[in-house]
Amino acid sequence: KQWYQRRVRGHDNLGVKGGLVLCTSYTVGYIIWLHVVKYVGGVWAYPIFDMLTSRGQALFLGVMVIAMYMIFFIQHFLHQLVHGQLIAASAASGSKGKRAKTRKVE
């Protein structure tokens, strides 16, 4: 029963705006970290970067960023598919999006 309450029952989500801010922050931080590793260690974290030109590296990173955002939107769609009906049902019952208090199961 605890697994059901944690995994299946509706829960709060960052939403699209919050999720995109989080993804963008992670992406910028990761790209900066890649360049710090190259600067300090003299070696790219991904050996393919040694074979690519600067334009190729930018294209590679751009494709990876687009893939990450696509994964985010797939996750958001699946979250709405699974939890959307639960959220709509709780709003229709009059709880106005507030989660009902549950007692701890031991």
Side-chain angles (χ1 to χ4, degrees):
K1 183 166 176 148
Q2 289 178 352
W3 179 87
Y4 170 79
Q5 289 177 346
R6 283 186 282 153
R7 302 284 182 213
V8 180
R9 192 170 160 217
H11 57 276
D12 296 334
N13 193 7
L14 286 177
V16 175
K17 185 177 179 181
L20 287 176
V21 167
L22 189 63
C23 281
T24 302
S25 300
Y26 177 80
T27 302
V28 169
Y30 189 73
I31 290 172
I32 289 171
W33 182 249
L34 285 175
H35 287 84
V36 167
V37 168
K38 170 63 175 166
Y39 180 76
V40 172
V43 181
W44 283 109
Y46 299 110
I48 193 170
F49 279 11
D50 285 329
M51 297 179 254
L52 297 174
T53 63
S54 294
R55 187 178 295 202
Q57 291 172 359
L59 182 64
F60 179 83
L61 287 173
V63 169
M64 293 300 107
V65 167
I66 289 170
M68 186 178 74
Y69 283 115
M70 287 175 59
I71 290 170
F72 168 76
F73 282 111
I74 290 170
Q75 172 273 330
H76 181 71
F77 170 76
L78 292 174
H79 182 272
Q80 290 300 318
L81 187 66
V82 171
H83 296 287
Q85 293 121 354
L86 295 173
I87 294 168
S90 67
S93 69
S95 63
K96 296 183 183 178
K98 293 182 181 176
R99 188 186 304 179
K101 291 185 180 180
T102 59
R103 40 184 194 106
K104 185 176 179 180
V105 178
E106 294 183 28

